[in-house]
Amino acid sequence: MKKRLFAIAMAVCLMFPAAVYAQPAESRLKNEVVIYHTNDTHGYLSGDGESVIGIDQVAGLKESTPGAILVDAGDATQGLPLASLTKGADVIELMNLAGYDLMTAGNHEFDFGTEQFLANVSLAKFPVLAANIYRNGQPLLAGAQEGNNGCHTVVERDGLKIGFFGLTTVETATSTNPEGIHDLEFEDEVETAKKEIDELEAEGVDAVIAVCHMGNTDSPCTSEDLANAMTGSYEDKIDVIIDGHSHTTENTEVNGTLIVQGGANMAGVGKLTLQISGSDVAASEELLSSADLSDVTPDPEVAERLAQIQEKQAGLLKTELGSTETTLWAGLIGGGVAVTRLVETNYGDFVADAFRYSGEAFMETAGAADADIPVIAVENGGGIRAGVANGEITVGDLINAFPFSNTLYMKKITPAVLYQMMELSGTELDGQDKETGMLLQGSNFGGFLQISGFTVVYDPDGEAGQRVTSVTLDGQTVPLDRNDSSTEIMLVSNNYIMNGGSGYTMLGELPKYGEAGGELETIQMYMESCLANGTLQEYAGTKGRILMRSSGYEPKDYTVSILITDESGQVLPNRELSYRVDGGGHQNGITDENGMLTVRLSDGAHGVRLADTQQEIYIDNYSGFGLVVDQYREQAALTFAADGSCDPVPEEPGGSQDEPEDPQGQGSLTEDGQQDAQNADAVSVPKTGDGSAAVPGVIAVMALCCSAGAAAPACRKNPGKQADRPDARKYRENS
């Protein structure tokens, strides 16, 4: 049994000069091994000198430390366009040049399917590990690379043999597209670890490192679970777990094992130092920030190739599609809430509409037998990865939002299945503030569905499995019967959800009716149609499709206070100004003695800005933005520009400011989602085509291929009848 001594330290930004990490060979102890590690890079490989460390700088860091080992703990080949445009191939090339010694497969390595994953593995000049993933009774990666069994590898430095084995969370079976990995088996992480420890010890290693993509939050087996499971003859057998998946920073000892993780998106690089003396292994960890590495010289070859890849992609990504007056909301907002996983959003409405119209175009060719089947669509909130700020919309914006290369599937469902889906969608609901309407749950769900073609009413205070009050199809006034297992409805969604992803097993069991096109292509065509028709602004607010109505809560106007500062950050008391809500007409206002601008808004979400060139801020009583300041939600604040763009507007005859095109679009939402126009003092916001309140929302997207028979979807002027305690880690975007 080895005795392990742990000296655990966390680097503080700027506390240690970069020279500390660039150790000359003669100063490095003969019994010391330095291991640099990254995880969950998701295409963030281009450094910005502030919050992102470039892969060229990581390469330079390794080169500056003789004998260093460089490893990655997964989720490297999917994310930003840099990764997703070539389905990970460009990332593998850059990792080769950077000198990576090994990596463990993350769940998102499989987003493009098993065969693409294996193609990327074949490109890697370093071992890729996944010891607990099997196919046809054999380890998936056995024989995939010459000299690599796909389970473990040994790296030798100065006569010291460091054994590494790789584990991928069994959650991968549902946290990537199930269809693409249907023939894979995910073995128990603990039992696999014991097997790998035995084999590495038989090879006479001096230290055992588990490189895991499991995380420390809600996986079936976390890194801490793994450490605690090492008991009996396996006690003290794992020296260090290098972790990934949860996008958190880890540096803690659990049951005699040091667990480390460096966050995500190249915000930090971990420096793990092993000092080995006989059977004793002392391990210490430092998390290096961009500032810590400011003196490290980037590797010129990696930098050159990175620039070439970016130049190759730049033309496509910068192609402008048009502009929007209001933000399409998605991604992490205001301190770390992924709103598409929490509430209805305008981008979610937009995407679901695009899916539905593509499905309807398909059904026009389906023949008389199915011509009358109503078509609905859903998109999982976790699939919308980024938003579009008010202003110009580019192809890159769409690719950032929808990086997964998904396809739109169509399946026949029944009302009973639809109720099951929506109960699962609302699985994290856990109460609602009766005064403000704010949802009280401390977590959100990547499978929360954005919808089109129907309305769902939730009771957030309801019991699990009984939170859905009603589901009503567009054009109907009577809700569907939750026990109806015979009436046919055509559902359109991405193949991830349709194949049972995020727990939607009730869909995975159903046969596919057809394919309605590629996800990204469908969304882009719908976007271009809306821009050409001038109807994108109709998505300035949500459509009132997902209603949160606990007993005792009545929708109403609400008031928010927005901090106004000048361009130097100084608070501006008693400042007259103008502002816009959801891209509507200018409103005049004045700050109070504390620099706060008070705005009265109708129930739901809104985007607010001062200058036309300024990005909007997100305000929403249901998700708490503008009402609450905590670790998730920042103080709502806007900057007053000195160029006159924020000055009060002249009063119009008969009114104090410009009016929106539809002045009736004000007031609160009634029980059925329609506007209550009696609240005339609420800020007017542009109405949607159906008269429901305008509320900004969110974006999540995936890429798809257009089916040969489906016509391009057209953005409709009136898209159907629109009926009507927190754990900070869980508000993270799903990993």
Side-chain angles (χ1 to χ4, degrees), residues 283-294:
S284 63
E285 165 79 358
E286 299 171 76
L287 184 60
L288 311 180
S289 69
S290 179
D292 294 322
L293 305 183
S294 60

Side-chain angles (χ1 to χ4, degrees), residues 575-579 586-589 610-611 640-650:
R575 168 68 69 173
E576 295 183 348
L577 49 75
S578 64
Y579 60 92
H586 288 272
Q587 310 279 339
N588 284 338
L610 302 184
F640 185 94
D643 60 4
S645 59
C646 304
D647 291 344
V649 297

Side-chain angles (χ1 to χ4, degrees), residues 376-394:
I376 65 173
V378 301
E379 166 73 316
N380 57 305
I384 304 176
R385 311 297 288 188
V388 174
N390 53 290
E392 292 299 322
I393 304 172
T394 67

Side-chain angles (χ1 to χ4, degrees), residues 98-243:
Y100 274 84
D101 292 284
L102 63 102
M103 75 171 287
T104 287
N107 58 302
H108 284 301
E109 257 67 69
F110 295 89
D111 279 353
F112 308 113
T114 301
E115 296 311 313
Q116 181 62 46
F117 167 65
L118 293 175
N120 287 337
V121 170
S122 70
L123 296 175
K125 297 179 181 179
F126 49 85
V128 180
L129 307 177
N132 64 317
I133 303 181
Y134 278 63
R135 182 164 67 174
N136 299 325
Q138 298 294 324
L140 174 64
L141 293 177
Q145 295 175 293
E146 185 176 354
N148 173 29
N149 70 0
C151 298
H152 63 261
T153 191
V154 177
V155 179
E156 188 169 345
R157 292 290 188 267
D158 291 336
L160 297 174
K161 298 172 68 176
I162 313 301
F164 297 88
F165 67 90
L167 296 176
T168 304
T169 175
V170 299
E171 189 180 36
T172 302
T174 58
S175 61
T176 191
N177 189 340
E179 181 187 43
I181 59 172
H182 67 277
D183 56 346
L184 301 186
E185 301 169 1
F186 296 84
E187 301 294 332
D188 181 81
E189 297 98 330
V190 172
E191 294 307 311
T192 302
K194 292 177 179 179
K195 176 176 179 292
E196 295 305 316
I197 291 169
D198 290 343
E199 295 191 13
L200 286 170
E201 288 194 333
E203 295 187 35
V205 298
D206 296 292
V208 174
I209 310 294
V211 185
C212 301
H213 193 83
M214 301 194 307
N216 67 352
T217 54
D218 49 10
S219 297
C221 178
T222 67
S223 53
E224 293 184 3
D225 293 336
L226 177 64
N228 282 319
M230 295 298 107
T231 59
S233 61
Y234 291 95
E235 186 175 357
D236 287 342
K237 290 297 182 70
I238 300 178
D239 293 289
V240 181
I241 296 174
I242 298 175
D243 202 11

Side-chain angles (χ1 to χ4, degrees), residues 341-343 422-432 437-445 448 456-469 546-550 622 725:
R341 304 162 188 248
L342 182 67
V343 293
M422 299 319 296
E423 288 288 359
L424 177 60
S425 178
T427 190
E428 294 294 333
L429 292 173
D430 190 22
Q432 183 177 29
M438 178 176 162
L439 300 175
L440 301 178
Q441 74 254 34
S443 60
N444 54 33
F445 176 38
F448 182 84
V456 59
V457 180
Y458 281 108
D459 176 5
D461 290 333
E463 296 293 327
Q466 296 294 321
R467 295 189 177 108
V468 176
T469 302
I546 305 173
L547 306 179
M548 302 296 178
R549 301 290 185 265
S550 61
Y622 290 102
R725 314 143 306 193

Side-chain angles (χ1 to χ4, degrees), residues 465-548:
Q466 296 294 321
R467 295 189 177 108
V468 176
T469 302
S470 65
V471 175
T472 307
L473 294 179
D474 284 3
Q476 299 184 6
T477 57
V478 178
L480 296 171
D481 181 352
R482 71 169 61 237
N483 298 313
D484 182 350
S485 58
S486 59
T487 301
E488 292 184 329
I489 302 170
M490 188 63 68
L491 175 68
V492 186
S493 188
N494 64 69
N495 52 312
Y496 168 72
I497 289 296
M498 290 295 212
N499 287 322
S502 288
Y504 286 93
T505 55
M506 75 290 291
L507 297 178
E509 298 167 353
L510 299 176
K512 182 173 65 175
Y513 182 88
E515 295 185 8
E519 185 177 58
L520 178 62
E521 289 81 358
T522 295
I523 292 165
Q524 182 169 337
M525 284 189 292
Y526 187 65
M527 177 73 75
E528 291 173 343
S529 176
C530 287
L531 290 167
N533 295 335
T535 52
L536 185 60
Q537 185 61 15
E538 291 187 1
Y539 288 94
T542 54
K543 305 291 188 178
R545 298 172 181 174
I546 305 173
L547 306 179
M548 302 296 178

Side-chain angles (χ1 to χ4, degrees), residues 37-123:
H37 57 93
T38 57
N39 63 276
D40 299 277
T41 57
H42 289 293
Y44 284 81
L45 303 181
S46 180
D48 61 6
E50 296 180 1
S51 59
V52 178
I53 300 170
I55 191 170
D56 52 344
Q57 199 164 30
V58 173
L61 176 64
K62 183 190 180 186
E63 293 166 1
S64 71
T65 310
I69 299 171
L70 178 59
V71 307
D72 185 84
D75 279 8
T77 58
Q78 169 274 332
L80 292 181
L82 179 64
S84 294
L85 279 180
T86 59
K87 300 182 179 181
D90 283 341
V91 171
I92 296 297
E93 180 184 359
L94 290 168
M95 292 177 73
N96 286 336
L97 291 174
Y100 274 84
D101 292 284
L102 63 102
M103 75 171 287
T104 287
N107 58 302
H108 284 301
E109 257 67 69
F110 295 89
D111 279 353
F112 308 113
T114 301
E115 296 311 313
Q116 181 62 46
F117 167 65
L118 293 175
N120 287 337
V121 170
S122 70
L123 296 175

